[in-house]
Amino acid sequence: MSRKGKVLVAMSGGIDSTVTALMLNDQGYEVVGITMKTWDYATSGGGKKETGCCNIDSFNDARMAAVQHGFPHYILDIRDEFGDFVIENFVDEYLAGRTPNPCVMCNTHIKWRALLKRADALGCDYIATGHYGNVHQHDNGRFYISKGKDETKDQSYVLWGLQQDLLSRTLLPLGPYHKTEIRQMALDYGYPELAKKSESYEICFVPDNDYRGFLKRKVEGLEEQVAGGNFIDKTGKVLGKHKGYPFYTIGQRKGLDITFGKPVYVTNIIPEDNTVMLGEEDDLNRQDMLVSKINWIKYEGITDGMEALTKIRYKDQGAMASLYNHPNGVQVQFSHYAKGIAPGQSAVFYEGDDVIGGGVIQRGQLA
């Protein structure tokens, strides 16, 4: 029995999760590797083979690393759990005129819960992943996430939904490192191909990055149902016809198939009457938003007027805002205009590098 405890490591077969497992193994943990199969791309009707974390090569890479370093490895089929929740939510959100973040939903509701359930069954003290972030315990006793050292790889934004029982047993060994250091570790462990392995930024179940095609395949007759809606401007003037409101996102400029001699952007989506509003870049500016489905991490809650750096998308640098409790979540008042607030995306609140909490954006400007 390891003096450091037993840890279940999520291994996708990629560089980050593999180095995570090997690092913990070297540190004296009793490691158990697990690879989760979340999705069969072939069942979506796509034109490409499975990619990323759900193909047989990735499974074999993960298992090979485990065998070579003497720890057990399992494959866990969570396609039913994943599909019922993450994919249905993905489709429902687009049909509601919002832009979902399936990685957040998956981490929050599926992957960590599935890991913890299997960790308990296998007698593991901890679960670990290859995410770039850090887990700490505050003086108030609460566990919280802070940004990873490598700002270009930091994934704290997608982990805001993890609750205390999950965080208290989570290890994130890559948080203190830069990606270049992890690549060097892979070389040092004797995996030169892994060190050069490219990374995928696609949604795992939409590996061709064509979410519109995915929606058409999942919802029979969708294209016919939503075609022919109106593009309008902010005064309500009809500017032309579009292909259907689910196929557009807030801030979109390309692929509108309509020209005005100047750049125009999607500024609002109104699913009730299949309308898409267009405007200039400044029309994307908002100073308020409502955020619901809140999960507080560092503190149990907030006091009205608390200031926090607020990120409204993964690669967003963030903007200072004041937070106010609201019957349906949190009212966010930005110090300066925020651009391209998209309902359905995550809003994550930071105190320095620490995640205070997060939630799902409901609308980009309070009435």
Side-chain angles (χ1 to χ4, degrees), residues 1 15 47 52 58 60 63 69 114 150 157 238-239:
M1 184 70 183
I15 180 173
S58 294
N60 290 337
R63 173 160 286 173
H69 290 266
D150 190 337
Y157 173 85
V238 175
L239 304 173

Side-chain angles (χ1 to χ4, degrees), residues 36 40 52 133 139-140 170 186 195 200 220 230 247 278 301 312 342:
M36 292 182 282
D40 279 320
D139 292 342
N140 62 16
T170 294
S200 172
E220 188 176 350
N230 289 325
F247 306 135
L278 302 179
I312 58 172

